[in-house]
Amino acid sequence: MKLERLELETTGPVARVWLNRPEVRNAFDGLMVTELRKTLFDLGTLDAVRVIVLGGRGSAFCAGGDLAWMKATAAFTREENLREAQAMADLFFTVYNSPKPVVARVHGAALGGGAGLVAACDIAVAALGSQFGFTEVRLGILPAVISPYVLSKIGESAARELFLTGERFEAVRAAEIGLVRHAVPEDDLDAVVESRVSELMKAGPRAVAEAKALLREVSFKRVEDVQRYTVERIADIRVTAEAQEGMHAFLEKRPPKWSS
Ligand code: COA
């Protein structure tokens, strides 16, 4: 697929996906939603790719949904409107559900759906000074399809305040509430992202995919409801070739084969 709204750089096992619509601060319209969803899905199927880094070209990570595009939905039928909203929901789920770890590299601004994208990623690193916000209510709309990902990252208390006020906040606060993991000087942003990538590269690729599935299954569930699932997961994975290699490598005091 020829990409008009994204740039894709693959260096060895690391795929870097850049939102590339800087003139509107990487706001996403239908085409960007389609391209991003397909690109992330396809990267998830490639054995050669171990980590995905998501960033934005220009002065901001992502200004959320394209408001000109969203405004135009007033002329859509309800069916068309539902289809567009579903495509957006599918995008966030594709990020969240990717078998590869996804690291967000955030600078400038991550607002509305842009902040939702950050929440759907596994690990987010933000430059100090970047602004965040669930600004939807200030526009008369809702942080709807992003809400499951945001709630699971920041919890209901912070979400109540931020969803209801729509106020903007800074990277340090984003780190305090767990929307991002690290708030670092902009000059250090790439180095910290690379350090996350190199830590992720030490993990067994299958184990990482399974750990993501585990997190998805276990969050917000009662222990009794997930205990059987967790028992089956560990019983199944510890006998695999990858797990056996990982444990042998540790006991033989050598790095496992997948570690670079
Ligand atoms: N949808 C459509 N266009 C957008 C946009 C969005 N979400 N965000 C920014 N743009 C456009 C602006 O309209 C402007 O267009 P113009 O050059 O034709 O005037 C251009 O992008 C640059 O925006 P500007 O505000 O001048 O840039 P900035 O660098 O000063 O600020 C932001 C960047 C992201 C902080 C600011 O644009 C902003 O707050 N955007 C709104 C974000 C928002 O609330 N998103 C939630 C959507 S659900």
Side-chain angles (χ1 to χ4, degrees):
M1 178 167 69
K2 189 180 160 296
L3 297 172
E4 286 180 40
R5 298 280 195 260
L6 305 177
E7 234 178 73
L8 174 62
E9 287 173 354
T10 306
T11 320
V14 184
R16 289 186 173 74
V17 180
W18 296 98
L19 309 179
N20 190 23
R21 219 186 157 206
E23 64 285 3
V24 286
R25 309 304 181 256
N26 300 320
F28 44 77
D29 60 356
L31 182 57
M32 192 189 276
V33 169
T34 304
E35 288 188 359
L36 192 52
R37 182 179 162 211
K38 179 160 177 15
T39 301
L40 287 165
F41 181 85
D42 290 349
L43 291 172
T45 66
L46 300 177
D47 285 344
V49 172
R50 300 265 304 271
V51 182
I52 298 168
V53 178
L54 187 59
R57 292 293 191 210
S59 61
F61 174 74
C62 178
D66 181 329
L67 295 167
W69 171 66
M70 281 212 258
K71 193 180 72 167
T73 57
F76 289 7
T77 64
R78 179 144 202 278
E79 287 311 308
E80 287 168 334
N81 238 313
L82 285 173
R83 215 172 22 246
E84 295 288 332
Q86 183 66 51
M88 199 110 89
D90 290 344
L91 164 63
F92 294 107
F93 188 69
T94 304
V95 177
Y96 178 76
N97 199 38
S98 171
K100 313 292 177 183
V102 186
V103 179
R105 176 200 184 278
V106 185
H107 75 298
L111 297 163
L117 211 45
V118 172
C121 291
D122 297 297
I123 303 172
V125 184
L128 287 172
S130 6
Q131 55 169 302
F132 294 80
F134 302 100
T135 54
E136 285 86 345
V137 288
R138 296 202 179 188
L139 299 157
I141 54 175
L142 281 176
V145 298
I146 64 173
S147 58
Y149 311 102
V150 177
L151 272 166
S152 82
K153 280 275 170 77
I154 74 174
E156 190 178 332
S157 173
R160 278 191 181 263
E161 183 170 47
L162 298 169
F163 281 13
L164 302 186
T165 61
E167 70 188 330
R168 295 178 188 222
F169 53 99
E170 205 267 331
V172 171
R173 181 136 184 246
E176 281 165 6
I177 62 178
L179 179 60
V180 306
R181 296 289 313 152
H182 308 276
V184 302
E186 184 140 15
D187 286 349
D188 299 339
L189 184 58
D190 287 313
V192 176
V193 168
E194 288 320 302
S195 87
R196 300 301 82 209
V197 170
S198 66
E199 291 302 321
L200 287 163
M201 290 296 296
K202 294 176 187 162
R206 174 177 175 163
V208 167
E210 294 274 342
K212 286 193 64 168
L214 184 79
L215 284 160
R216 205 170 55 231
E217 208 57 46
V218 174
S219 314
F220 293 127
K221 298 242 174 82
R222 294 189 318 158
V223 175
E224 308 88 285
D225 295 337
V226 290
Q227 203 174 55
R228 179 73 199 168
Y229 169 81
T230 62
V231 166
E232 286 172 3
R233 292 283 64 73
I234 184 62
D236 290 343
I237 205 165
R238 63 189 170 199
V239 299
T240 62
E242 182 178 290
Q244 289 296 315
E245 163 63 10
M247 292 185 281
H248 273 97
F250 176 80
L251 293 170
E252 290 159 19
K253 303 190 189 311
R254 60 173 175 82
K257 286 188 196 124
W258 65 71
S259 188
S260 56

